């Protein structure tokens, strides 16, 4: 990266990062290493759960744990943003979050089953704390929303996400699968440790606003929050100690409440915002329109996130994981999406811009419905390798690559649009909270997958896969068919 630091001749000789504030390099590297640790552990997780040398669980339980873990990361992004806004400030929150993530990976590296879920919990908590606040600090580097460098800065920042996500399965996945599972988790800890170290060394380049707590808790609010937190923690402790002492505790006592909460909380948040009497009629209308997008996004992420669980578990048992006779670790499939994102994102951006210049760019609704149809189509394609495996043969690796390719195109069609429409349709009162609401769609989708797995539904069955694919395609068509109604609810948002 040293060659990317150049002298900005237009400024006072300060070093820049591709023409952007030097602090972007610090945040870029922090996010890259955090994603390296996160995606490396994520690539190993379902494989470790089902491996005889791992926890030797059945695929349904492994999928449930994986889905619950992902849902927690996104569910905790909202309280993570709250901590940055009200307690520690973004910079301190990110530093602490990195330490918590590293500690979680170190606990996962211990060869004891009893510590495993504690390690997962720490990584989820740390990721939730970091997720919202590091993006906030990127925004602090620029002179408000009108700074012409702002969009480019976020583009570079998100490249860091995909660079880390691409490298992680190739390094951590290979070591974990081929050498030792726990050594793979230890490498994830090392990656996060490097991220924290360079973040602390580079904080001098960050904007001073990142040190400020925007809306600090008053003394009374702090006492009330602490009291309520301790009460809920005490209730949970008493409940789970009781289940252990009485001998009735099973893993479902932990997983089922989380999956139910992951479905109930998004509904409660949307209802609370929708029923707020302070919202204007136009804001109420936009929230009604936004609910369409939210439900559709939950369906999308329910299917998309199975790329790391259902598809990975299928690949482990039923795919010929080789190219031209060369075998590769199953975890390497998780590098397909980020490398395709890096290759295709500029193409999509140029394509939308070209259509816009001709006045032919599809509307937000059309892009969103297309993403849903495409992710459904990816699972229709999944039926082919499932059928091949059902006949007793190994499915070719390219079937899985094709599925990941279609899902990546679907992601590029839907996800950026979802982020954009969330900010555009947010009521003024909830402007800073709505990105957390968008993440709750991921939580709802993953918790649906988790609940199905806990109910004993085999997600690798052709009937279930066909049903999920049909649901996504029908949802996409429904949004397209009712685009006039949704457009009317959206008001002046396009």
């Amino acid at each position: 990266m040293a060659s990317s630091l150049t002298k900005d001749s237009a400024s006072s000789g300060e070093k820049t990062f591709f023409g952007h504030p030097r602090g972007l390099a610090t945040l870029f590297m922090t996010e890259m290493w955090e994603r390296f640790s996160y995606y490396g552990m994520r690539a190993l997780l379902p494989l470790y759960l089902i491996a005889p040398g791992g926890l030797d669980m059945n695929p349904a339980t492994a999928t449930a744990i994986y889905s619950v873990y992902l849902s927690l990361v996104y569910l905790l992004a909202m309280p993570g943003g709250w901590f940055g806004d009200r307690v520690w400030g973004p910079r301190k929150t990110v530093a602490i979050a990195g330490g918590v993530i590293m500690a979680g990976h170190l606990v996962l590296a211990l060869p004891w089953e009893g510590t495993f879920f504690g390690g997962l919990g720490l990584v989820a908590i740390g990721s939730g704390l970091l997720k919202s606040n590091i993006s906030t600090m990127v925004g602090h580097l620029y002179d408000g929303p009108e700074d012409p460098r702002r969009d480019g800065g976020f583009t570079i920042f998100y490249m860091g996400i995909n660079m880390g996500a691409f490298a992680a399965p190739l390094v951590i996945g290979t070591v974990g699968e081929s050498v030792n599972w726990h050594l793979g988790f230890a490498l994830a800890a090392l990656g996060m440790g490097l991220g924290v170290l360079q973040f602390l060394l580079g904080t001098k380049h960050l904007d001073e606003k990142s040190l400020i707590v925007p809306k600090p808790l008053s003394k009374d609010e702090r006492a009330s929050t602490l009291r309520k937190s301790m009460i809920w923690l005490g209730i949970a402790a008493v409940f789970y100690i009781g289940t252990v002492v009485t001998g009735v505790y099973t893993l479902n006592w932990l997983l089922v409440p989380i999956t139910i909460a992951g479905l109930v909380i998004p509904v409660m948040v949307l209802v609370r915002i929708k029923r707020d009497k302070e919202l204007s009629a136009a804001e109420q209308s936009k929230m009604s329109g936004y609910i369409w997008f939210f439900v559709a996004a939950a369906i999308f992420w329910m299917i998309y996130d199975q790329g790391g669980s259902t598809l990975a578990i299928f690949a482990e048992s039923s795919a010929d994981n080789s190219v031209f006779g060369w075998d590769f670790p199953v975890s390497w499939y998780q590098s397909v999406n980020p490398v395709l994102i890096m290759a295709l994102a500029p193409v999509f951006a140029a394509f939308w811009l070209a259509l816009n210049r001709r006045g032919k760019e599809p509307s937000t609704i059309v892009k969103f419905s297309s993403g849903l149809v495409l992710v459904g189509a990816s699972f229709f394609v999944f039926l082919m390798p499932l059928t091949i495996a059902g006949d007793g043969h190994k499915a070719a690796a390219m079937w899985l690559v094709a599925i990941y390719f279609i899902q990546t195109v679907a992601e590029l069609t839907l996800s950026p649009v979802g982020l954009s429409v969330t900010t555009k349709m947010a009521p003024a009162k909830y402007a800073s909270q709505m990105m957390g609401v968008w993440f709750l769609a991921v939580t709802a989708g993953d918790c649906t997958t988790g609940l199905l797995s806990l109910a004993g539904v085999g997600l690798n069955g052709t009937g279930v896969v066909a049903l999920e694919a049909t649901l996504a395609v029908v949802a996409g068509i429904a949004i397209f068919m009712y685009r006039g109604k949704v457009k009317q609810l959206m008001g002046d948002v396009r």
Side-chain angles (χ1 to χ4, degrees):
M1 289 297 175
S3 61
S4 66
L5 297 177
T6 60
K7 292 285 183 181
D8 183 0
S9 57
S11 67
S12 57
E14 291 183 359
K15 288 184 177 181
T16 66
F17 183 66
F18 292 110
H20 290 265
R22 177 65 180 83
L24 183 62
T26 298
L27 299 177
F28 173 95
M29 295 296 289
T30 304
E31 184 71 358
M32 187 191 75
W33 282 115
E34 189 273 331
R35 292 291 90 180
F36 175 84
S37 68
Y38 172 79
Y39 279 98
M41 186 278 296
R42 195 175 109 157
L44 285 184
L45 181 57
L47 304 177
Y48 171 71
L49 291 172
I50 64 173
L55 295 188
D56 200 16
M57 294 179 172
N58 62 65
T61 303
T63 299
I65 292 171
Y66 178 88
S67 301
V68 166
Y69 166 71
L70 290 190
S71 70
L72 273 178
V73 169
Y74 288 94
L75 181 63
L76 292 171
M78 282 194 78
W82 181 87
F83 263 88
D85 283 342
R86 315 269 341 243
V87 183
W88 291 328
R91 189 186 300 189
K92 184 176 180 180
T93 303
V94 166
I96 292 173
V100 172
I101 293 170
M102 183 173 63
H105 288 306
L106 288 173
V107 171
L108 288 171
L110 299 174
W112 303 320
E113 182 177 341
T115 61
F116 176 78
F117 292 101
L120 271 188
L122 287 172
V123 175
I125 291 168
S127 297
L129 285 169
L130 186 142
K131 197 166 188 65
S132 300
N133 291 286
I134 195 166
S135 296
T136 298
M137 286 196 292
V138 174
H140 286 163
L141 297 173
Y142 300 95
D143 297 326
E146 303 307 319
D147 190 322
R149 301 172 300 167
R150 186 183 179 93
D151 287 350
F154 273 99
T155 299
I156 293 172
F157 176 70
Y158 286 120
M159 287 297 288
I161 292 175
N162 287 291
M163 287 175 63
F166 168 69
L170 304 181
V171 178
I172 296 173
T174 302
V175 171
E177 284 191 71
S178 306
V179 182
N180 181 276
W181 296 108
H182 298 285
L183 184 57
F185 292 132
L187 278 179
L190 176 62
M192 191 66 254
L194 291 173
V196 172
L197 178 62
Q198 72 82 39
F199 177 77
L200 294 175
L201 292 174
T203 52
K204 60 181 178 290
H205 300 296
L206 301 177
D207 193 276
E208 292 299 311
K209 288 195 292 288
S210 64
L211 285 170
I212 298 171
V213 181
K215 300 176 183 176
L217 291 172
S218 67
K219 185 177 180 180
D220 289 342
E221 286 177 321
R222 187 179 294 270
S224 175
T225 302
L226 183 60
R227 183 173 62 254
K228 290 176 182 177
S229 300
M230 294 307 295
I231 289 172
W232 282 109
L233 184 62
I235 291 172
V238 169
F239 175 78
Y240 283 107
I241 290 172
T243 60
V244 171
V245 170
T246 56
V248 300
Y249 177 80
T250 64
L251 190 57
N252 282 356
W253 282 101
L254 178 65
L255 298 179
V256 172
I258 295 175
T259 54
I260 293 174
L263 293 171
V264 171
I265 290 174
V267 173
M268 290 175 61
V269 170
L270 288 172
V271 168
R272 178 174 63 86
I273 296 175
K274 187 72 180 67
R275 295 178 65 181
D276 191 331
K277 302 294 185 183
E278 295 182 14
L279 301 189
S280 66
E283 289 176 327
Q284 287 282 1
S285 177
K286 288 177 183 178
M287 280 306 302
S288 296
Y290 183 75
I291 289 172
W292 282 73
F293 292 107
F294 185 92
V295 173
I299 296 171
F300 176 89
W301 294 116
M302 177 185 71
I303 294 175
Y304 179 90
D305 275 346
Q306 289 183 61
S309 55
T310 305
L311 288 176
I313 291 172
F314 172 82
E316 172 67 22
S317 61
S318 305
D320 177 16
N321 304 308
S322 64
V323 178
F324 302 119
W326 175 68
D327 295 333
F328 58 86
V330 174
S331 55
W332 282 24
Y333 284 113
Q334 302 310 308
S335 287
V336 174
N337 170 260
V339 76
L340 287 175
I341 288 286
M342 289 188 285
L344 295 178
V347 176
F348 267 72
F351 180 63
W352 297 138
L353 186 59
L355 289 179
N356 181 267
R357 287 170 178 166
R358 298 176 186 177
K360 296 181 179 180
E361 183 180 3
S363 67
T364 294
I365 300 169
V366 172
K367 289 179 183 177
F368 217 87
S369 60
S370 299
L372 270 173
V373 170
L374 283 168
V375 84
S378 75
F379 260 35
F380 278 125
V381 173
F382 188 23
L383 293 173
M384 294 301 297
L386 283 173
T387 302
I388 293 169
D391 292 335
H393 303 288
K394 292 281 188 180
M398 292 311 295
W399 280 114
L400 294 174
V401 172
I403 295 168
Y404 287 119
F405 174 81
I406 297 171
Q407 290 187 348
T408 301
V409 174
E411 179 188 2
L412 287 169
T413 305
L414 181 142
S415 185
V417 174
L419 291 167
S420 176
V421 82
T422 296
T423 58
K424 290 177 181 177
M425 297 177 72
K429 182 178 177 179
Y430 297 98
S432 62
Q433 299 178 39
M434 282 299 289
M435 200 54 68
V437 174
W438 170 252
F439 289 145
L440 288 180
V442 185
T443 297
D446 287 328
C447 281
T448 301
T449 302
L451 208 55
L452 289 172
S453 298
L454 291 171
V457 176
L459 295 177
N460 265 335
T462 54
V464 175
V465 169
L467 183 62
E468 290 183 82
T470 302
L471 175 63
V473 171
V474 169
I477 293 173
I479 288 180
F480 181 79
M481 294 295 290
Y482 285 90
R483 63 190 182 279
K485 173 66 174 176
V486 178
K487 187 176 180 180
Q488 183 181 358
L489 292 170
M490 292 170 67
D492 58 355
V493 176
R494 294 291 177 264

